[in-house]
Amino acid sequence: MAQVKQDAARNRGILLRDSGPAQAAAGASDRAAGTRARRRRGREGGGFWWIVPTLYIVFLMLPIYWLINMSFKTTNEILGGFSLWPQNFTIESYVEIFTNPVWYNGYVSSITYVLINTVISVTVALPAAYAFSRYRFLGDKHLFFWLLTNRMAPPAIFALPFYQLYSAIGLFDTPWAVALAHCLFNIPLAVWILEGFMSGVPKEIDETAYIDGYSWPRFFVKIFMPLIASGIGVTAFFCFMFSWVELLLAKTLTAVDAKPIAAVMTRTASTSGYELGLLAAAGVLTIVPGAVVIWFVRNYIAKGFALGRV
Amino acid sequence: MLELRNVSKVVSGETHIADVSLRLEPGTLNVLLGPTLAGKTSLMRLMAGLDRPTSGSVHMDGEDVTGVPVQKRSVAMVYQQFINYPAMSVYENIASPLRVAGVDQATIERKVRQAAALLHLEPHLERTPLELSGGQQQRTALARAMVKDARLVLLDEPLANLDYKLREELRAELPRIFAESGAIFVYATTEPSEALLLGGNTATLSEGRVTQFGPTVEVFRDPVDLLTARTFSDPPLNTIVVQKQGKHFMLKGSDGLPVPAQLAALADGRYTLGFRPHHLSLEPATDHAVPIEARVTVTEITGSESFVHLDYAGNAWVMLEEGVHRIGVDETLRVFIDTRHLLVFDETGRSVAAGHAQAA
């Protein structure tokens, strides 16, 4: 009996010791509450808690503001002086971009190859990621890692081989050339992100579907894809962004017909000097598609950066 | 009838299933009983056709189905984890096998409603599985297995992740729900008491082997070997190695146990005696009870019963006594072994005699 009591006492001792981290955690939350309280006091007392975030946001937004600011100025005003906001507000630059086919075709071809690339990357990566997530095969782990190493090489080193290969088969200067070239780094990325999301789905769901009589393609489309819909969204977003911001391959593999917007921008350097207002407006319009896509997947991006392994 | 013939499964050099032969009749309930990693799930996957046996064959109604993919077999399976299609409503979850089979809308509607009524899922049909409680999720999985009218229904510890009350309730309902279908019903569990409650037949598994297969009560009362007896005993079976000499089982550090009448014909030699915790008692239950002195190590009290852990010459035993008994640790206790129920195993572990001559 006495032994039992001793044991119980010892156990309590252990429990008390074990509660150390819990107390520490409680302490941390107390401190957090304290910080909040101080912040409230600070607000009342006119403290300076807001300085750092404000500075951060100012520095972050300043270049973007300046770009927008410039896009509404005339080139003469940009070159002539330094003003915080347009003195002679003009939308001339935007009108030029939206009415001149050379300009807006730049956007059209950029968006075309980006979309083609996104569709190809996701479509190809889905079954590949499924295989990596569900099956064990010879060298699977090495192959999976090797995929990622494809991203370690700068895309520029592939520009020359792509240029010659695509010229040889008549793909040069088409959106397909750029879209396929971007697959080089987008498919590995897509496989990695999707694999993470797929591994989060229990294998038993696959088996239950097979037992229910689903064939693999039907199971994949009807049951599996809805389960990783957010993963597919995030993957598509990353493919879109990487393809959208990649300029070197896009410029090298196109000449006239499929010229991306980045290449069109070089047109602003003419014999009469730089048309800076036009360049700024084109820059603003280049940010827009990315911002729109980010808006749609904003809730899942963090998960995507963790490759689905949250 | 499902028949496994000398089925083995080896995964990367590790034997998961070793030479299993079983015949399961239609309309029967068959329990696979064994501790974790005994191979229950592996065996079920082979039965279902999710895995292909390394050697041996699987026959369904006399037809060899060894390599036939699971889609083409008439199988339903429920996992220990609650597995449903999270993107579909409960209704669509239950209807899913029927939709794949191309059953007409009216039949689907009727069958889903019927299954939902039986499993008390009617109020939840329009919700998605993840909005339901664990018990409701598992009932959804059961309903999906039910509507399929499969010839083979596999339930892999379906109640293990449910709370106590729900488990009791579903365990009582399960055999009834599936009984009418005439399917072969296989139920895996780690708990001997669950096997006894379900009845039917039991196959005890240990390290990938089926040690015994037969009517549940028979396997429980008359295990063919020590391994089966150990598997089918909770709390663990009490054992002791003895030397039989004439009319006594000689024990280490004691005068020995008198050999009960039903074992009188046993040859002299070394044996392992086994007896269940409830065949040890503080008071002599019958005049066949033999006293023995053992040291108490721990006493666990679970409401109406007490588990007294004893140490007898290095053997750890458990005694199950009705009522609450407060017994001090390290006290030496006089307990009684009911010799009528002794299980006797020879040195290879085979049963040579079971002491159930009289009803256990």
Side-chain angles (χ1 to χ4, degrees), chain B residues 142-159:
Chain B
L142 285 165
R144 193 175 51 240
M146 204 173 98
V147 292
K148 204 185 168 192
D149 282 331
R151 283 187 292 169
L152 176 62
V153 179
L154 303 164
L155 306 178
D156 188 2
E157 298 185 50
L159 309 180

Side-chain angles (χ1 to χ4, degrees), chain A residues 1 3-4 202-205 207-216 218 222-223 226-227, chain B residues 45 50 70-71 75-77 79 81 83-88 96-97 100 144 148 328-329:
Chain A
M1 220 51 228
Q3 176 81 36
V4 171
K203 208 180 170 187
E204 282 80 7
I205 288 192
E207 290 172 358
T208 302
Y210 299 151
I211 288 170
D212 278 359
Y214 284 88
S215 62
W216 187 79
R218 191 167 176 188
K222 276 211 73 177
I223 295 183
L227 288 183
Chain B
R45 294 175 61 86
L50 287 167
V70 64
Q71 285 97 334
V75 178
M77 186 157 175
Y79 288 88
Q81 306 91 326
I83 300 296
N84 292 299
Y85 309 132
M88 296 183 181
S96 132
V100 180
R144 193 175 51 240
K148 204 185 168 192
V329 172

Side-chain angles (χ1 to χ4, degrees), chain A residues 104 135 218:
Chain A
Y104 65 72
Y135 300 111
R218 191 167 176 188

Side-chain angles (χ1 to χ4, degrees), chain B residues 251-317:
Chain B
L251 305 175
K252 242 192 300 172
S254 153
D255 320 334
L257 294 172
V259 174
Q262 83 269 18
L263 296 172
L266 214 58
D268 284 4
R270 277 172 78 82
Y271 294 99
T272 302
L273 299 185
F275 50 96
R276 297 188 193 277
H278 63 274
H279 291 142
L280 266 183
S281 54
L282 285 172
E283 302 292 330
T286 60
D287 40 346
H288 295 277
V290 179
I292 200 163
E293 297 210 326
R295 196 173 56 83
V296 178
T297 52
V298 179
T299 307
E300 298 171 304
I301 297 165
T302 65
S304 58
E305 293 168 335
S306 305
F307 292 96
V308 183
H309 293 256
L310 301 165
D311 177 84
Y312 178 80
N315 297 287
W317 288 350

Side-chain angles (χ1 to χ4, degrees), chain B residues 116-341:
Chain B
L118 208 54
L119 287 160
H120 314 299
L121 284 168
E122 284 151 314
H124 314 297
L125 282 176
E126 299 314 317
R127 298 163 80 182
T128 62
L130 293 183
E131 295 168 342
L132 303 181
S133 71
Q136 290 160 345
Q137 289 184 38
Q138 192 65 321
R139 288 208 297 267
T140 306
L142 285 165
R144 193 175 51 240
M146 204 173 98
V147 292
K148 204 185 168 192
D149 282 331
R151 283 187 292 169
L152 176 62
V153 179
L154 303 164
L155 306 178
D156 188 2
E157 298 185 50
L159 309 180
N161 287 359
L162 294 177
D163 65 75
Y164 176 75
K165 221 176 141 53
L166 213 62
R167 196 177 340 161
E168 301 271 284
E169 195 184 306
L170 271 179
R171 181 161 49 214
E173 283 177 36
L174 272 180
R176 183 176 59 80
I177 290 167
F178 286 95
E180 299 148 25
S181 66
I184 303 167
F185 183 76
V186 184
Y187 188 106
T189 181
T190 53
E191 292 170 36
S193 58
E194 193 157 66
L196 286 167
L197 283 166
L198 285 166
N201 299 318
T202 291
T204 46
L205 268 89
S206 177
E207 290 170 355
R209 291 174 187 282
V210 170
T211 55
Q212 190 174 356
F213 178 61
T216 303
V217 178
E218 210 172 282
V219 176
F220 180 73
R221 276 200 201 154
D222 194 1
V224 291
D225 55 19
L226 192 53
L227 216 50
T228 308
R230 282 192 203 276
T231 308
F232 210 153
S233 188
D234 179 48
L237 187 76
N238 300 319
T239 57
I240 186 164
V241 179
V242 296
Q243 182 78 34
K244 181 178 183 285
Q245 276 173 11
K247 287 188 181 311
H248 281 88
F249 288 123
M250 302 307 288
L251 305 175
K252 242 192 300 172
S254 153
D255 320 334
L257 294 172
V259 174
Q262 83 269 18
L263 296 172
L266 214 58
D268 284 4
R270 277 172 78 82
Y271 294 99
T272 302
L273 299 185
F275 50 96
R276 297 188 193 277
H278 63 274
H279 291 142
L280 266 183
S281 54
L282 285 172
E283 302 292 330
T286 60
D287 40 346
H288 295 277
V290 179
I292 200 163
E293 297 210 326
R295 196 173 56 83
V296 178
T297 52
V298 179
T299 307
E300 298 171 304
I301 297 165
T302 65
S304 58
E305 293 168 335
S306 305
F307 292 96
V308 183
H309 293 256
L310 301 165
D311 177 84
Y312 178 80
N315 297 287
W317 288 350
V318 186
M319 173 172 72
L320 174 61
E321 269 288 311
E322 292 271 318
V324 174
H325 298 266
R326 296 193 172 276
I327 300 163
V329 172
D330 273 338
E331 225 172 76
T332 301
L333 205 63
R334 208 167 129 91
V335 293
F336 293 85
I337 301 177
D338 193 342
T339 54
R340 286 178 314 165
H341 300 293

